Amino acid sequence: MRLEAAARMDLFRKLWRARKLILVVLIPLSLLPLPLIHPSSEACCAYVLIVTAVYWVSEAVPLGAAALVPAFLYPLFGVLKSSEVAAEYCKDTTLLLMGVICLAASIEKWNLHKRIALRMVMIAGAKPGMLVLGFMCCTVFLSMWLSNTSTTAMVMPIAEAVLQQLICTGLADARDHSDTADAHDDDNKENLEKNQLELFYLSDSDVTKQELCTLTEVQTVEVNGVALKPSSSQEFIKHTNGHLPQVAVDVPSVKREKTRRDSQYPTKRDHMICKCLSLSITYAATIGGLITITGTSTNLIFAEQFNTRYPDAKVINFGTWFIFSFPIALIMLVLTWLWLHFLFLGCNFRETCSLSKKRKTRREMLSERRIHEEYTKLGPISYPEVVTGVFFVLMTLLWFTREPGFVPGWTSLFEKKGYRTDATVSVLLGFLLFLIPARRPFCSSSSCRNGDDSDADPLAPMITWKDFQKLMPWEIVILVGGGYALAAGCKVSGLSVWIGRQLEPMGGLPPWAVTLLACLLVSAVTEFASNPATLTVFLPILSAL
């Protein structure tokens, strides 16, 4: 029996290790009767859609590889030509993303992101609540232009340096406190005994008056800054044999925050601050990605599919997306900060968010000093940082003023309309970053040194192809292209129309109910599947409503 159980467990282990391969093989084979029994364009497109969706949700193969499934199954089943499918993998949003990545590569290469983050944290201060809010604001700002993952990876080392300073200061305070705690306890105990044994000489004629005076004096006695109060349960005892009454005095215990010897954090409060700061950065990166159309890949997928499905509607561009999403992201940022503050730091906002210098503790002052030291290490702002900042501002302005809506944009200067998009601006400025030298022109080698390999070549550009390649998310590009290919196949084959007819009963529901059901469904699926894959699967289906 034991041998059989061991063999059975060994078989289960082997099957579990090969679960992805089994899923990759079984899913297409089990669904193959669908296009064979119903040889129609709708059935063939549904087969490709289901197989790709299962691969995406289960991640049996990498997301980018699963996105290539429509590239060979659509031509095989006769849904789309190979050239038509290939055209879907490179859209206008792909070029827009490539131009933004060029700017992001320049920002990361010349440490402009670090300078922006440290400056914003310096403005916020070192109070726990304001420190968390400062890191959240700088993370949101950077995540508007960079990917969420890259932003978190950039900001976390800065936060880690501040947290290390906080922990080191707490440990030093704990050691100082432990060295002096015994001495303070001995002094308090000695003073307490003296006050308890102190005798008050009272005359028989004015005992009552002297007792009242003595009571007032006892109430104002202080020992090492601790007020001594007479016990309410004890009363003055009047003796006639020459002995004097004695007053029992209670010394309130001083609340001390215990040092946690079993943890790397000095106190539980320090542990809570570290948790709050780390979580706030991750949430802020997600919130910042919602503000701009290039902040995250899901925004690009929605914008392209919306413009394709509703060509007569007003085109979604950078400006209209920003105006719509910025207030929402701002509300989410404030609510997230309040909730994290309540969970980890409590409700005493006056203590954790005060900007007054009189309220700052030694640890907060040392943390601020550490932030200033990190900022000082960057040195004065360099020429490449200035160029990157100018390109950043220029790209943003050109995006906003292309077609603002309330006034004619700069595209109205051209005769032919509709040829220039946000991708045009993005690719143009990204291309110029490969040409502009990283060293200031007409500058001697001794006075202009950027501390990089550009010193070897005076004409070295701001970014190289290696810098661009390091940040370019090709998997996301292919994933987005696979979503466009699926949407095109659903439209050409008529599957989207068939799905719309099946969902006609839901058309009688109020719009808010349909929106609520869609939000609940998509939110549930994104708990175990990636956001781009979930949106790519559900957007063609829900858009049929």
Side-chain angles (χ1 to χ4, degrees):
M1 295 295 294
R2 292 183 178 179
L3 294 177
E4 292 180 359
R8 195 179 298 111
M9 290 300 298
D10 185 59
L11 177 62
F12 286 153
R13 291 193 192 97
K14 291 180 179 179
L15 291 176
W16 180 254
R17 283 196 295 264
R19 65 186 183 280
K20 292 186 176 181
L21 180 61
I22 295 174
L23 189 64
V24 170
V25 175
L26 287 183
I27 290 300
L29 293 179
S30 59
L31 295 174
L32 195 57
L34 177 63
L36 295 180
I37 297 176
H38 301 281
S40 61
S41 299
E42 293 89 345
C44 295
C45 184
Y47 173 80
V48 178
L49 178 63
I50 296 174
V51 171
T52 308
V54 172
Y55 284 172
W56 272 337
V57 173
S58 64
E59 295 188 9
V61 293
L63 295 178
L68 295 174
V69 171
F72 60 86
L73 284 186
Y74 273 164
L76 289 178
F77 284 103
V79 178
L80 285 175
K81 295 180 180 180
S82 182
S83 58
E84 295 174 345
V85 178
E88 299 294 332
Y89 280 86
C90 186
K91 290 283 191 176
D92 184 72
T93 52
T94 305
L95 299 178
L96 175 64
L97 180 62
M98 293 176 67
V100 172
I101 293 300
C102 292
L103 181 62
S106 182
I107 291 175
E108 183 176 356
K109 180 177 181 179
W110 302 110
N111 283 328
L112 183 60
H113 65 287
K114 192 172 183 180
R115 186 178 295 275
I116 295 173
L118 287 173
R119 172 56 67 180
M120 297 183 71
V121 173
M122 287 167 60
I123 295 174
K127 284 286 184 180
M130 298 304 297
L131 186 67
V132 171
L133 182 60
F135 269 103
M136 290 184 71
C137 290
C138 70
T139 305
V140 166
F141 179 76
L142 293 175
S143 184
M144 291 167 57
W145 319 102
L146 310 176
S147 67
N148 300 344
T149 306
S150 300
T151 303
T152 306
M154 292 174 184
V155 178
M156 280 304 296
I158 304 174
E160 185 179 358
V162 177
L163 294 176
Q164 286 178 355
Q165 179 64 38
L166 188 70
I167 293 173
C168 293
T169 309
L171 291 174
D173 290 344
R175 286 194 297 267
D176 295 341
H177 179 73
S178 61
D179 293 338
T180 58
D182 296 335
H184 285 298
D185 291 341
D186 294 339
D187 293 341
N188 291 336
K189 195 176 296 183
E190 183 180 354
N191 291 326
L192 176 60
E193 292 176 356
K194 288 182 180 179
N195 283 276
Q196 286 181 341
L197 296 176
E198 183 179 357
L199 300 178
F200 302 92
Y201 294 94
L202 308 173
S203 61
D204 295 337
S205 59
D206 54 352
V207 170
T208 305
K209 181 178 180 181
Q210 293 294 333
E211 286 177 352
L212 293 175
C213 296
T214 305
L215 177 60
T216 306
E217 293 174 359
V218 171
Q219 288 176 341
T220 58
V221 172
E222 291 187 0
V223 178
N224 289 338
V226 180
L228 305 179
K229 298 181 181 180
S231 175
S232 59
S233 61
Q234 300 293 334
E235 298 180 355
F236 289 108
I237 303 173
K238 183 177 178 181
H239 298 278
T240 58
N241 57 357
H243 296 284
L244 299 178
Q246 180 179 354
V247 178
V249 181
D250 292 336
V251 180
S253 59
V254 181
K255 293 182 180 180
R256 293 171 182 166
E257 203 164 5
K258 296 182 180 180
T259 303
R260 305 177 67 189
R261 302 181 182 272
D262 58 340
S263 176
Q264 60 177 338
Y265 304 99
T267 62
K268 183 179 180 180
R269 181 176 176 80
D270 294 328
H271 193 189
M272 293 295 102
I273 293 174
C274 294
K275 281 184 177 180
C276 184
L277 187 58
S278 301
L279 286 175
S280 65
I281 292 174
T282 57
Y283 284 122
T286 304
I287 295 172
L290 303 176
I291 299 178
T292 59
I293 200 170
T294 59
T296 182
S297 58
T298 53
N299 299 350
L300 295 173
I301 295 172
F302 168 77
E304 183 63 31
Q305 293 205 14
F306 180 87
N307 294 334
T308 303
R309 186 173 182 84
Y310 307 102
D312 297 333
K314 188 175 181 179
V315 178
I316 295 178
N317 54 32
F318 184 89
T320 55
W321 183 279
F322 183 88
I323 293 173
F324 169 76
S325 59
F326 181 75
I328 300 175
L330 188 62
I331 296 173
M332 293 175 63
L333 175 65
V334 174
L335 293 179
T336 303
W337 176 68
L338 291 174
W339 179 246
L340 291 176
H341 193 290
F342 171 74
L343 286 180
F344 297 101
L345 303 179
C347 297
N348 193 355
F349 290 91
R350 186 175 182 181
E351 178 185 350
T352 59
C353 302
S354 175
L355 297 177
S356 176
K357 294 184 178 180
K358 297 180 180 179
R359 295 178 176 268
K360 290 182 180 179
T361 62
R362 173 175 173 267
R363 300 174 62 185
E364 292 167 356
M365 295 176 66
L366 290 176
S367 298
E368 285 187 356
R369 188 183 306 171
R370 177 61 182 270
I371 295 172
H372 280 274
E373 290 175 357
E374 291 291 329
Y375 187 81
T376 306
K377 290 179 182 178
L378 297 176
I381 188 168
S382 61
Y383 172 74
E385 289 179 83
V386 174
V387 174
T388 303
V390 170
F391 270 65
F392 172 77
V393 174
L394 184 61
M395 183 180 290
T396 306
L397 290 177
L398 290 176
W399 278 342
F400 273 111
T401 58
R402 183 176 67 86
E403 288 181 358
F406 55 92
V407 292
W410 56 266
T411 54
S412 61
L413 301 176
F414 299 88
E415 294 183 0
K416 294 183 178 181
K417 309 298 181 181
Y419 281 80
R420 286 142 298 269
T421 62
D422 291 337
T424 309
V425 176
S426 176
V427 174
L428 173 61
L429 296 182
F431 174 74
L432 292 178
L433 288 174
F434 288 98
L435 302 180
I436 297 178
R439 180 180 294 182
R440 187 165 48 233
F442 309 109
C443 185
S444 61
S445 58
S446 59
S447 59
C448 298
R449 289 190 179 272
N450 298 323
D452 199 76
D453 295 338
S454 59
D455 292 332
D457 184 6
L459 297 179
M462 291 287 296
I463 59 173
T464 62
W465 186 258
K466 289 183 179 180
D467 300 327
F468 170 79
Q469 185 74 13
K470 185 171 61 174
L471 290 182
M472 185 62 192
W474 291 111
E475 184 181 27
I476 297 298
V477 172
I478 299 176
L479 175 63
V480 173
Y484 298 156
L486 285 177
C490 292
K491 182 178 180 181
V492 172
S493 64
L495 179 63
S496 58
V497 177
W498 181 85
I499 295 176
R501 288 198 300 266
Q502 305 306 313
L503 297 177
E504 282 181 357
M506 293 183 62
L509 297 176
W512 65 267
V514 177
T515 305
L516 179 61
L517 291 176
C519 290
L520 293 176
L521 177 62
V522 174
S523 299
V525 175
T526 52
E527 292 297 324
F528 54 88
S530 65
N531 295 341
T534 304
L535 183 65
T536 305
V537 172
F538 281 97
L539 198 58
I541 298 175
L542 296 177
S543 62
L545 291 175

